[in-house]
Amino acid sequence: ERPVQLLLDLLARDSLYVSGPPGSGKSTFCRRVAWLACEGSMPDSQIAEPEKYVEQFPSAFSGRLPLLVRLREFWSHLPITPDCREMTPAELEAVLVRWVDGKQPGGLSGAAVQSHLAHGSLLLLLDGFDEVPLTHGDDRKPCQIRAMLLAGLTASLKAWTGRGNRVLLTSRPYGISDGDARRLPLRS
């Protein structure tokens, strides 16, 4: 029998890409991680879990700003130009800052998110890559929106995680090909 690996324990050590079918709990896990990071501790359990399933609060979450980004809401803020396929780290970060300024999740400002990203203290939860459309815009030269976002993430993640930020990216299996998943600087 293979030993159980709890996703929370894996995320405590590494940034992750989590792929799973519909209903497998990817979005629920993202919300739970954000909640735990805000709470700063594990909740009291009313029911005793089997020992191999007992989770511990990840000390790696302490002092981090959690930011949950539902990609189905985020993608429409990306710069859509005919035949777009690429995005630089600077462009992606600018879009993230503008999106936070527009949404103000939890009263956050884009400047606060940018500061945490620069200092390596952001817990960035990118949920639902598969919900980003493949293309958008002009039928003759549509923007390859999913490919553009993936290129921007691939280019940005190494620097973001290198500074100490923690990233969780989720998708249904068809959202990111196996080859593209291997190019992401994230543990799968």
Side-chain angles (χ1 to χ4, degrees), residues 10-11 14-18 29-30 33 61 64 67 117 122-127 153 156-162 164-170 184-187:
L10 294 175
L11 187 58
D14 292 306
S15 290
L16 299 178
Y17 165 58
V18 176
F29 181 63
C30 286
V33 167
F61 288 10
R64 291 191 185 275
L67 177 62
L117 194 57
L122 188 66
L123 176 57
L124 183 58
L125 311 165
L126 303 169
D127 186 34
L153 282 171
S156 300
L157 285 168
K158 190 172 182 179
W160 290 352
T161 58
N165 296 293
R166 193 58 48 88
V167 178
L168 171 63
L169 173 64
T170 71
L184 286 169
L186 300 172
R187 180 175 178 176

Side-chain angles (χ1 to χ4, degrees), residues 59-160:
S59 61
F61 288 10
S62 295
R64 291 191 185 275
L65 174 67
L67 177 62
L68 175 57
V69 179
R70 290 177 182 90
L71 293 173
R72 70 177 173 265
E73 299 168 1
F74 178 78
W75 75 264
S76 62
H77 297 268
L78 295 171
I80 298 172
T81 57
D83 207 28
C84 65
R85 293 175 187 275
E86 298 292 324
M87 178 177 242
T88 68
E91 290 171 326
L92 181 55
E93 192 169 320
V95 172
L96 182 63
V97 167
R98 280 195 309 272
W99 179 82
V100 170
D101 278 336
K103 289 288 223 185
Q104 296 182 334
L108 286 177
S109 70
V113 169
Q114 193 167 34
S115 176
H116 279 273
L117 194 57
H119 290 96
S121 56
L122 188 66
L123 176 57
L124 183 58
L125 311 165
L126 303 169
D127 186 34
F129 191 84
D130 57 285
E131 295 181 63
V132 175
L134 290 172
T135 62
H136 187 75
D138 186 341
D139 287 340
R140 288 170 286 145
K141 285 189 155 186
C143 177
Q144 306 296 316
I145 198 87
R146 193 182 296 176
M148 181 179 74
L149 179 57
L150 185 62
L153 282 171
T154 302
S156 300
L157 285 168
K158 190 172 182 179
W160 290 352

